Amino acid sequence: MAATSVALTPTSSAAVAALPAWSSTSLTLPPLGHLDAYISAVNRIPMLSAEEERECARRWQREHDLEAAGKLVLSHLRLVVAISRQYLGYGLPQADLIQEGNVGLMKAVKRFDPEQGVRLVSYAVHWIKAEIHEFILRNWRMVKIATTKAQRKLFFNLRALKRGLKADASDEDAVRERLSEAEIEAVARELNVRREDVIEMETRMAGSDVVLDPLPSDDGEEVHAPIAYLADQRTEPTAVLEARERERLSSEGIEHALAQLDERSRRIVTARWLQVNDDGTGGATLHELAAEFGVSAERIRQIEAAALKKLRKALEAYA
């Protein structure tokens, strides 16, 4: 068995790491692009008889015999390849599906009890599919589409049923095409779930990933993406500092600038811009201030303009 040189996974050593005790077995990892060669190689590995399988399982269980465990894994790699073909419609590379399935196979071998009277092939199917299911749910969408056990089961069952109902459409189109009310009721009865659960899962499956960051446009113009209006600018550091600076200038700064004016100019600016009448309207008019100081409205306007100019310079110096 030590002379057998077959890859445990078609991609990386991640699957080997799932069971560190097997790392000493003689398993080589071919280049990523040789998936056909990998499948051809595992199909040439002979299957174990029932007696050989039990003997290897006992040696692994009782003595932690690495060569026995390796035989169990290698003889069932073709099973992983066969199961992975059932999940090619999800748009994920078969090599990745096989790798995850191999992780499940090793977990099955680690826990397999030969005294239960069940063949490893029957026991391993659950572990292989579980790992592939988890991989699909992690990678089919950027946002995980199913989290609970019930949602995961509904996801795979609903997808299979929709492909059957939409036989004239491609796999992806069948998933995105909405079910009619009658079809929803039929699916709910078939899967023994609430129609509300079917509608919710169908909505999740029909959705697509949205790019949050803006993508560059061909004409060089800025493209507005969801990140532009989803981000809360109130807590952005620059915005916080600007708000604090405005608050400081509106209180201490204005008070400091007003102190630089003479009494009449200060009174005119305060009455015109910083006071509010009892009815909520703006400050005093030019004519009201002209009557108060005994000059023309034009003269009040000139004083106001000069005072505002001084205020701006004083605020700039204060800032």
Side-chain angles (χ1 to χ4, degrees):
M1 184 62 200
T4 304
S5 179
V6 179
L8 187 57
T9 72
T11 53
S12 72
S13 58
V16 178
L19 201 54
W22 294 352
S23 59
S24 61
T25 55
S26 175
L27 303 176
T28 59
L29 301 172
L32 176 62
H34 295 132
L35 179 59
D36 291 339
Y38 170 85
I39 294 175
S40 177
V42 299
N43 285 335
R44 290 197 300 269
I45 301 175
M47 295 293 293
L48 299 176
S49 65
E51 184 56 36
E52 290 174 329
E53 183 180 291
R54 282 193 297 271
E55 179 61 25
C56 288
R58 287 167 182 161
R59 285 164 52 195
W60 162 248
Q61 189 178 59
R62 298 169 184 174
E63 306 169 17
H64 282 269
D65 188 322
L66 300 180
E67 184 177 353
K71 286 183 178 180
L72 291 173
V73 172
L74 292 172
S75 63
H76 288 80
L77 290 178
R78 66 177 68 191
L79 173 63
V80 177
V81 173
I83 293 176
S84 70
R85 293 194 182 101
Q86 303 173 17
Y87 299 93
L88 294 179
Y90 292 91
L92 298 172
Q94 186 180 9
D96 292 345
L97 297 173
I98 292 174
Q99 174 171 281
E100 297 300 321
N102 286 344
V103 173
L105 172 60
M106 289 190 293
K107 289 182 177 180
V109 169
K110 182 179 180 180
R111 296 165 173 81
F112 179 59
D113 184 358
E115 309 305 331
Q116 295 296 322
V118 178
R119 292 295 300 268
L120 176 59
V121 64
S122 301
Y123 182 75
V125 166
H126 163 77
W127 291 94
I128 295 169
K129 287 187 175 181
E131 290 297 323
I132 293 178
H133 286 184
E134 182 63 28
F135 174 74
I136 292 173
L137 292 172
R138 285 198 315 267
N139 295 275
W140 194 60
R141 289 279 191 270
M142 289 180 64
V143 178
K144 201 167 185 179
I145 195 170
T147 53
T148 66
K149 183 177 180 180
Q151 287 176 340
R152 295 180 184 187
K153 182 178 179 181
L154 178 57
F155 169 77
F156 289 102
N157 288 337
L158 179 58
R159 185 181 174 93
L161 283 176
K162 289 189 72 172
R163 284 201 300 265
L165 292 171
K166 312 290 183 180
D168 56 339
S170 65
D171 284 346
E172 195 60 29
D173 291 339
V175 172
R176 295 186 181 279
E177 189 174 346
R178 290 305 189 101
L179 296 174
S180 65
E181 286 296 326
E183 289 173 333
I184 291 175
E185 294 289 347
V187 169
R189 287 194 302 269
E190 176 72 19
L191 301 180
N192 194 26
V193 295
R194 299 182 306 164
R195 64 183 305 276
E196 291 79 8
D197 296 333
V198 175
I199 295 174
E200 180 184 358
M201 182 55 66
E202 186 192 22
T203 302
R204 294 187 184 188
M205 293 170 60
S208 59
D209 296 329
V210 177
V211 178
L212 295 180
D213 294 320
L215 298 175
S217 60
D218 296 335
D219 55 8
E221 295 184 359
E222 182 180 358
V223 179
H224 293 285
I227 196 66
Y229 52 81
L230 289 178
D232 186 356
Q233 299 296 333
R234 293 174 298 178
T235 57
E236 199 273 326
T238 303
V240 172
L241 291 176
E242 289 178 352
R244 290 178 180 175
E245 183 65 13
R246 285 195 300 269
E247 184 178 354
R248 187 176 69 87
L249 289 176
S250 64
S251 56
E252 300 175 7
I254 292 179
E255 184 178 350
H256 171 77
L258 287 173
Q260 312 301 314
L261 302 177
D262 61 80
E263 185 177 348
R264 183 174 64 173
S265 297
R266 186 163 56 249
R267 163 62 184 156
I268 291 174
V269 170
T270 302
R272 289 278 291 160
W273 298 99
L274 302 179
Q275 289 182 354
V276 179
N277 297 327
D278 294 337
D279 57 0
T281 59
T285 64
L286 293 176
H287 292 285
E288 290 173 344
L289 291 172
E292 178 180 339
F293 289 102
V295 295
S296 65
E298 175 60 22
R299 179 57 183 156
I300 295 296
R301 189 195 63 78
Q302 294 172 356
I303 296 173
E304 178 188 16
L308 291 176
K309 187 176 181 180
K310 290 181 181 180
L311 278 178
R312 280 193 293 270
K313 290 183 178 180
L315 285 173
E316 291 174 359
Y318 184 82

